[in-house]
Amino acid sequence: MDIKVSARHFTISETERQYAVDQISSRFADLTLTIISASVVMDMQGNRFTAEVVVNAKKDFTAAAQVEDFDWKKALDAAIAKAETQVTKYLEKKQHHKNGETLAGLEAKNAEKNAQ
C-alpha cells in the first residue's frame, strides 16, 4: 500500500508522518478490500487543523474524509475512522448473490470454520 503524507501551511515532523502511516496501515490492514494507495493531507489555518484522508481501493472505489479540529491527532484519527467506515459499508453492500449473504457474513463464517 502506497501512503503519502503531506502538509499545507506548516511543516510536518517525521514522528507525525510516521504516526499517520502507522494509523492508516493498522486500520486498513485487516480488511478484505485491497487498498492501492492512501493520501493524507494535513492543513493548518490559524490554530485549526484539517485532516483529509483519501483511500483508493481496487475496483474503482475511493473513500474520502475530511475533519477539522484544534488538535492534529484528533482530526487525523477522526478522518481515518470516517474513511474506514466508508470502506466497511462498501464491503457490507457487496453481496454474494448465489444465496443472498454479504461478503462480510461469508468471511465471518469462514473464520469460524477455520478457528474450529
Side-chain angles (χ1 to χ4, degrees):
M1 173 176 13
D2 180 32
I3 302 173
K4 297 178 185 175
V5 181
S6 61
R8 286 188 216 139
H9 303 116
F10 74 105
T11 55
I12 191 167
S13 69
E14 191 58 38
T15 56
E16 293 169 348
R17 185 181 309 275
Q18 190 60 39
Y19 178 80
V21 170
D22 291 343
Q23 288 295 315
I24 293 271
S25 299
S26 66
R27 292 276 185 96
F28 293 102
D30 58 342
L31 296 176
T32 58
L33 188 65
T34 304
I35 305 296
I36 298 170
S37 66
S39 173
V40 178
V41 179
M42 300 292 295
D43 187 13
M44 183 175 159
Q45 295 285 330
N47 59 354
R48 295 175 298 157
F49 289 93
T50 303
E52 289 181 41
V53 175
V54 178
V55 177
N56 297 317
K58 280 193 173 179
K59 300 186 180 179
D60 295 330
F61 176 72
T62 301
Q66 181 176 2
V67 176
E68 185 175 314
D69 201 333
F70 290 104
D71 183 26
W72 69 271
K73 276 189 179 182
K74 287 182 185 178
L76 180 63
D77 290 340
I80 292 172
K82 279 185 176 184
E84 183 182 22
T85 302
Q86 291 175 15
V87 171
T88 305
K89 284 185 179 183
Y90 173 76
L91 287 174
E92 289 174 355
K93 286 181 181 180
K94 290 178 66 174
Q95 289 188 354
H96 179 67
H97 290 286
K98 186 173 182 180
N99 57 6
E101 293 186 38
T102 63
L103 289 178
L106 289 173
E107 290 169 1
K109 283 184 180 180
N110 288 338
E112 289 175 8
K113 286 181 185 177
N114 293 337
Q116 294 175 352

